[in-house]
Amino acid sequence: MKIKLIEDGNLTSWLRLLLIVIGTVFVVVAIECKLEIFWARVFLLLGFAIALIGGMTSRAKLLHIKPFDNSYKKARDSYKTKDDKNNE
């Protein structure tokens, strides 16, 4: 069985939810646990970053945006002319 991480140009729903939950857990650990100030800051910033990635990909899914798609390569190739191909 092969696990898919990217589906239709976006992260899968279980992975988006997992990123949000892991980010939230990191933030809670940073705030509630008695950690050294350096490690508390690391966990807090890392938690915000992970949750941000999960949240932004969820919003992209709602707006039907495909942030992990390779369609831009096709668009870039469509602008090439015959002269560009001959020069290469």
Side-chain angles (χ1 to χ4, degrees):
M1 183 175 143
K2 189 174 180 181
I3 297 175
K4 283 186 141 184
L5 298 178
I6 297 177
E7 180 179 84
D8 194 29
N10 203 340
L11 298 179
T12 56
S13 60
W14 65 268
L15 183 59
R16 291 190 305 261
L17 181 63
L18 184 69
L19 287 173
I20 294 171
V21 169
I22 288 173
T24 307
V25 168
F26 276 23
V27 169
V28 169
V29 166
I31 293 172
E32 295 296 324
C33 293
K34 303 283 184 190
L35 297 174
E36 292 181 28
I37 191 70
F38 173 75
W39 291 111
R41 289 178 182 171
V42 168
F43 271 80
L44 187 71
L45 291 175
L46 192 61
F48 278 137
I50 292 171
L52 180 71
I53 292 170
M56 291 303 235
T57 55
S58 294
R59 182 167 291 189
K61 179 68 173 180
L62 287 173
L63 297 173
H64 302 289
I65 299 171
K66 299 177 182 180
F68 303 108
D69 194 20
N70 290 332
S71 62
Y72 69 92
K73 292 180 182 177
K74 295 176 191 173
R76 185 174 44 190
D77 289 341
S78 69
Y79 288 111
K80 290 185 179 178
T81 61
K82 293 180 182 179
D83 294 334
D84 293 336
K85 291 179 183 178
N86 291 336
N87 291 339
E88 292 178 354

